[in-house]
Each structure stands twice: as C-alpha cells, then as structure tokens.
Amino acid sequence: MKNLFILFFCFAIPLLSCQSRESVQHRQILLADDWYIHSSAGLEIDGSVLSTPQISTEGWYPTSVPTTVMGALSTNGLYEGILEGVAYKEIDRAPYEVPWWFRTSFPLPPLSEGQTARLQLDGLSYSANVWINGRQIADRSHCRGPFRQFSLDITPYLQEENVLAIEVFRAEGGDPNIGFVDWNPRPADESMGLYREVRILVSGEVEMKHSRVHTTVNLETLDEAWLNVETTLTNHGTSPVKGKLRGTFDGKTFSVPVTLAAGEEKVVSVDATQARQLHVSQPRLWWCHQLGSPEMYRMQLEFVADNKVSDSQQVDFGIRQIEDYFTEEGRRGFRLNGKEVLVRSAGWTDDMFLRDTPQTNEIQVRYVKDMNLNSIRFENIWGNSQNIYDLCDRYGLLALVGWSCQWEWEHYIGSPVDQFGGIMTQETMDLIARSLNDQVLWLRNHPSIIAWYTGSDMMPRPELEKKYLRVLEKIDDRPYVSAAKKMTSEVTGPTGMKMYGPYEYVGPNYWFIDKKNGGAFGFNTETGIGAQLPVIESIRKMIPADKLWPINEYWDYHCTTATSAMNNMDVMTSVVDGKYGKATSLTDYLRKADLINYEGTRSMFEAFRVNIPQTTGIVQWMLNSAWPSMYWQMYDYYLVPTSAYYSVKKANEAQQLIYNYADRSIYFVSEGPDRKKLQGKIVIYDLNSKPVHEQSIQVQSAPRLSEKVAEIPSFDTHIFLSLQLQDSNGKWLTDNFYCLSPTDDEHDWAKTNWVHTPMKKYADFTPLNTLTEAKTDIRVSQSADVIRVEMENGAYVSLMTRVALKDEQGELICPVFWNDNYVSLLPGEKRTLECTVDPADIQGKNLRLVVSGWNQPDREIALTR
C-alpha cells in the first residue's frame, strides 16, 4: 500500500557485508497517505469504523497526514478562494465545534518474539482519543497539547491488517495552542488535526530513542572537536539484557557494552574518554553560510544483543559550538565557533492551514539565503515535521526557536492573563514544561538552532521558568532566553534582547538616529516598516477587480488583525502622499509603495551593519505571510518576492558601501573570511542625470568590519547617489543606489509608542514625479535554467526598474531567483540580470519578460532560446 513509507535504519552496505550474521529487528512505518477524515456530527461510531480495514468512505474526505481539518478540506476543494477578497469574514466555524475523526489502515507482518511496536504521534491539536483495532489506547486527558509528543504501546493489539482511528478535539479558550496572534485571521478550526507526522516504530526488546550527538570545539585552533553521544535505551523484556551500543560515523566505528535490567530505562552517554573515535581531528565545522560551509555528519547508532540489532537511530549533526555573550551595555549576542556573528533574521510563519510542504519550505529557505540573511526566527516552534530545521542545517541558517506570544495576551489565548501571560495554573505549567522537554528532545540535534526562547512579549512566571531550567539542564545546553523583550527575570537575569518595535512605517534615517527604541543597537527581536506590498499580479489574486482602486476596505481586510493599529492602509497612503504626492492610479500607488519598501527595509539592515559592534542582531517582522497579506513580508503568500526582498539582498552583501543617513557619510561593511583590496566608486547625479561629484576610494575587506570611508559634499537639492564596489582587477562586485532629499524625514519622538514613532514631516521626493523617461535597450536570452537580461541604459537614470518572467497566459513564473531586481541604472550603464529557474517550470512554455519602472515605459519582450 502506498501509505507505508518504510524506513529501515540499517548499516551502510559495506558494513552490512561484514555484519551479515546480525539480524535486524527494527523498522519505521510513516503513516502519511490513505487517511480519511469525517466530522463526528452525524457519524455513527461503531465497530466497523474503529476496527474494520475496509469500510465505505462515502462522506469521508481523503487526505494525507500531517494536516489540519481545514487543510484537508481546502485540499478537497471545499474552500476555494476563501482567503481572497473578504470571503473569510463569513466563514462558518460551527463545523469545528465538534471533534473530527482521522482514520487509516495499514498492514504489519506479525511481530517476532521480543519485538514491540509503538505508535508515535509527533504533534496533534489540541487533544485526541486514540483507537487501534477497536481498542482505545489513550484518551484526550493524556493526548493533549500541540507541542507534546506521544509514544503509545500497541504491541498487544496488532493484527495483520490494522485500523488506526483518532478522534481529534480543537482547542478551547485558555488552551495554549498553536497561534498566529495578530498576523492574520485565526484558522476556523483552531488548527485542529494531526499536524505533524504519525509513525509506527518497531524494535526488539530494547528500544532506542532521543539519540543525540553533542559537540565541543577547540575554539582557539578550530582543529579538533569532541563528540558526546547520548541515547535512551529501554528494555521492554522481562529478563536482563547484555549488549553493546555501536556507533558509526565518517568511516569510524565504536562500541561500548551496556547492561539493562528487566524493564529498565537508561540514558547511555559515550564520550572520547570511552571511545577515542569521538575525538575528531581537523573537523569539518558547521558554519552559517556567510562564515563558511554548513558541514554535516551522519551518525548511525545501534543497540546489538545476541547478534540482533534491536533498534537503531540515524542522527544527522553538525560539529559546531554556540555560545551567547553580553556586551558592556548588557546586550546579548551569539558566537558561532568562537566568532561573533551579527544575527540578521526574519520571522517565519507557517501557512494559515498548516499546508506547507518540503517543496514550499525549501523555496522559502532558499529565499532567505538568497537575501543574504543568516537566520530565521521561529516564534511558535513552527513546522509540520523536522523538514524546515533540516533545511536550515543544510543551507547554513541560524534558527531562533521558542514559544509564541499567542499565550501571553488574553485576546489570543482566550483566558485571563497577568504580567507573565496566560500560563497560570499548575496543570498548564506542567503541560508546557513537558512540551518544552518534548520539543527540545525532538530538535536538539539541529546545529542551526542556537537558542530556546521560552517567552516572547513576556517572561514565564518564576515557577514555570524553574521548571524549564530543570528540563534543559538535563537534556541541552544551548543558550536559554526567557523573553524576546528587554526584561529582567528573577530566575535568570536580564534577557539582553529588545522589542520596542517599530512595526509600522518609520523613515530610513530612523534606524541610524534612534538611540532609545528600535534603532540600530543591541538585539532587536522583531521590527519592521509595516506594510510591504505584494506585486500587482498577487494583488489581483487577493482583491476583486472592481475593488482594486481606490484603496478601500478590501485592502484593509488584508492588513493585520490587530485591533489598535496596522489594520488598514492609512499609514502607507499617508507616506505615499507625504513623500511623493497623492497617487493618481493603482500603478502610481504601487510604484511609490515599492520605493518606500525598498529604501525603508534596506536602511534597517544597513544601519545594523554599520553600527557593529553596538548591534548584535535584528529580526525583520516578518519574513513571510500565512495568508494573502499587505503587511510584514519579504515575499508574499504566493511566494513572489516584494521589492523589500531585493533591498535586503542588497543591504546584506558580503561587502557593501552604505550611505549613513545620520552623518551623511559612506561606510564600508565587510564580513566573511576573505581579506582583499577593493575599489569603491562614489558618483552623485542631479535629477537631470548629470554627474556633479565623483570620487574613488580604496578599501580592505576583513571579517566583521564597519568603517567610515568617505564623506559626500553637502547638497541642497535632490540627488541620486551611486556607490559601486570592484575587485582589484576592476571586476564589478556590487552597487548601491539612493534617492536623497535635501530635507530629512522628521520623527515625532515624543509620540513614540509600541507601534512606531510617527512622522512630523516627510522628506520631500515629489520632484521624482517629473523624471525624464529613461530609454533602455533590453535583450533577453534563455537557456535550460537561466534567463539572461542584458540592459543598456540611455542618457537618463532609470529608477526602480522591475523585470518579471511570465508565461503566455500572463502568469508569473514562480519561484525564480533573480541576481538583482528593482534596479536603478545610471546613464549609459550596461547591466546583466540573470534569473535561475527550475527547467520543469518553464518547459514547453512561451515566456515573456515584462519590464516596468518608475520612469521606464511598460513593455513585454518575447524570449528567444
């Protein structure tokens, strides 16, 4: 049957040949496909539903697991278009006030003597009753909590053809559930379902679980490391067992003897004093991608007794050491393998109905790396499997993982809160402490995870925090952070973080000049400029054609669900009007919004780079969107990058020249292991595209460098500022381009609140509306997976030119990876843009390049092969 994806954790083939006399008693069965769901309303539960493999599926919806009920129903076509327009306002929540049944069947060969089988539930929301072959093996008082994991013994109840039936109940008010806070509307089903993987685990008498490899690095030389291998062994038999724990990695094998009493569970730990193979010379270290290569190892662990491999686990791990530190000002930072790293991150959300797949996850993780970010913040311990964390490991991205502020505000948790949030009762504290234990055991082998956050907007109450620490001191030593906000715990002291916003628009100069709130100092765990609009092609999917213009309540509905702010387009419209003049059309509005997003988001990251070492981390709020949204996103719900995406990519180039809005000077920033001489070129143009100042500079790259390298002449008119970097051979590396006004944005500092610092006066950019039309020659060519766009500009600056790849129906090709976009071209400049695509996404299609820009006429160009 296709729903049985069986994973055999065995030796590699060469090892099998020399251990052929050992039999294997273990296997895993991933129950992914051939599930059906049905509402309990009107469903008569009898013996056939609970125990008969073949039943009529009339009225049942086919699905796969992981899924929520809403995810399954939407996949079955019940909610077509529900997230577009304002349709979701009227969604009927009544069907989810009753439990839903999840049901599947699977064959299993008879177990041999001594074998045991367990049902492993990695995540369900919110509680469940569980039956196997008509026997209830757990009830909802036990299987409760979305971040608990459950391992249920099913050995006595198995037969050759088995039926698994799970009755799932949604969360109620006061339950600490999965949550999206004010980012988007609540899922109608409250994420009810089996939202993480379900497995059958078969082992011999001795079961192995919670295996891990802990690494310590010689931080002085980086030329040696020590491994500590740990696993939990349980003897399910009635007699003592003598055997050996054997590990194989990187061509090395070690083993240690282990004895287990009948019924005994033992944590077995092996280090280099017991097995010299666990001292590693010249280790391949795991680095975030900007500092090196994210090297991974694989450890095969087995428990062997009487020439039988009773159980086995495969552990993928990286050799690295993570530490936190505090600056003299009390700001927390992180060191990776002894090197201080500026964490540049963004806040992740899963799809609103938890429908992410390994394919969509990989697109998004590739986007993060492509933007030159080095981290993702997972405020909710997101993911419907470990896949998203596997991808962070593979692509070299640091992960900040922890609990959501969903539990800290009465409106979201649905019960009273105090200064420590809504986790108040002894029962709930015990549940959440056990949940942390389960999540850390589940994820602790991922080298990408550098910290556990047990609070976001608030700290856990002291009693709960002590429970957390008792959990962590036994199972993990990663940095612990009690809140993402600047707070001081009576248990663990200062957090060293800050969360002063802004979450709404501030001018580009804000990040350089603010010294009290969200500006470029310390570790800002969530911040951004508010609305970050999708491209027009996405907006046309979100908003009905007759509601596209002028901006109206349909647009407002796709802002955030916060009650006090950020729930309409008013601020964005005010910025458009105040900076560039009132928009005359949707096209005019969007081109102005794109420039606002580009410059505003870029300066945020640039300021944090310029201000090293006063800065230790920044998290853009947010990375992505759970539903079609106007707010907080670097790429939209349809996985199409916004203009902010490309400005973030620009701001975080390994070496870059940056304009500092505070002192109107030029800074050179650099990171990575390379040390090389570079040439910088600074050119200022007036609005007529005439050069009025030109300067060359020499710079030397170095790790973690920020230095002032030039001052530009004072200006009393609008200018364009071009900054370019070349290597010592004159090869172009990167550029940066700014529109600058003689007047600065003025903030009303006295009115700063948690949302933002409002504006007193906008910098005036209305002269940009009169730019002379740019004439740019464009030639396009296509190969199997690369589209090449050669651009040669005419006599006038071409501002914010966007290129997009479409098929003959006018649909965007997605995903695509442009090396640059929303580009501004200098007079006479030649530039080649390239985009990488999956050949399968363009096979047999007649492609067109669509070009648009601030002062560039819209046009379409057919591609040639």
Side-chain angles (χ1 to χ4, degrees), residues 359-375:
Q359 292 74 31
T360 61
N361 283 343
E362 183 155 15
I363 291 167
Q364 295 180 79
V365 170
R366 288 180 63 194
Y367 277 166
V368 174
K369 183 179 179 182
D370 186 58
M371 282 186 281
N372 298 311
L373 298 178
N374 60 17
S375 170

Side-chain angles (χ1 to χ4, degrees), residues 36-45 59-61 69 73 94-102 167-168 192:
Y36 290 87
I37 69 169
H38 197 297
S39 169
S40 64
L43 179 65
E44 182 178 347
I45 301 300
W60 292 75
Y61 296 98
V69 174
L73 297 182
Y96 312 107
E97 294 175 357
V98 299
W100 280 67
W101 285 87
F102 284 67
E167 183 185 20
V168 182
M192 173 170 52

Side-chain angles (χ1 to χ4, degrees), residues 786-804:
V786 175
I787 309 300
R788 180 172 285 103
V789 181
E790 298 177 71
M791 312 175 81
E792 183 173 355
N793 197 30
Y796 296 97
V797 167
S798 175
L799 180 62
M800 288 286 286
T801 299
R802 176 198 175 211
V803 291

Side-chain angles (χ1 to χ4, degrees), residues 8-10 28 208 211 298-301 312-316 445:
F8 289 95
F9 289 136
C10 303
Q28 280 196 32
M208 177 183 291
S211 299
R298 176 165 291 175
M299 175 78 72
Q300 185 75 31
L301 286 176
S312 173
Q313 286 193 327
Q314 178 180 288
V315 179
D316 291 334
N445 279 303

Side-chain angles (χ1 to χ4, degrees), residues 616-654:
T616 56
I618 177 173
V619 183
Q620 144 85 16
W621 203 253
M622 295 173 65
L623 171 68
N624 56 350
S625 291
W627 81 313
S629 177
M630 302 291 179
Y631 257 74
W632 298 337
Q633 58 196 349
M634 295 184 187
Y635 51 89
D636 65 32
Y637 178 72
Y638 307 102
L639 302 184
V640 180
T642 68
S643 66
Y645 177 107
Y646 297 100
S647 73
V648 171
K649 181 173 181 172
K650 186 76 65 178
N652 288 293
E653 293 274 6

Side-chain angles (χ1 to χ4, degrees), residues 211-330:
S211 299
R212 76 148 178 184
V213 179
H214 179 269
T215 63
T216 304
V217 177
N218 183 331
L219 299 180
E220 294 295 324
T221 64
L222 303 184
D223 64 359
E224 60 179 343
W226 298 265
L227 311 186
N228 180 283
V229 178
E230 180 184 292
T231 191
T232 300
L233 299 175
T234 304
N235 179 6
H236 292 292
T238 57
S239 302
V241 173
K242 289 185 177 181
K244 57 186 176 182
L245 176 67
R246 184 168 60 203
T248 303
F249 78 102
D250 206 32
K252 306 172 185 177
T253 299
F254 66 90
S255 67
V256 294
V258 178
T259 300
L260 295 167
E264 181 182 9
E265 181 170 283
K266 179 187 293 187
V267 176
V268 178
S269 181
V270 186
D271 60 25
T273 65
Q274 300 160 280
R276 58 181 175 77
Q277 296 88 344
L278 300 181
H279 174 248
V280 182
S281 297
Q282 302 301 322
R284 306 187 309 274
L285 296 180
W286 188 94
W287 294 96
C288 62
H289 69 93
Q290 288 154 334
L291 297 182
S293 177
E295 296 288 341
M296 295 292 292
Y297 288 79
R298 176 165 291 175
M299 175 78 72
Q300 185 75 31
L301 286 176
E302 298 162 322
F303 183 78
V304 183
D306 296 329
N307 285 325
K308 296 177 182 178
V309 180
S310 181
D311 207 355
S312 173
Q313 286 193 327
Q314 178 180 288
V315 179
D316 291 334
F317 68 99
I319 297 179
R320 67 97 175 96
Q321 191 163 325
I322 191 71
E323 304 167 301
D324 58 353
Y325 68 93
F326 286 82
T327 68
E328 292 181 359
E329 298 81 11

Side-chain angles (χ1 to χ4, degrees), residues 40-60:
S40 64
L43 179 65
E44 182 178 347
I45 301 300
D46 55 23
S48 64
V49 170
L50 298 177
S51 60
T52 303
Q54 303 299 327
I55 64 170
S56 170
T57 57
E58 183 179 356
W60 292 75

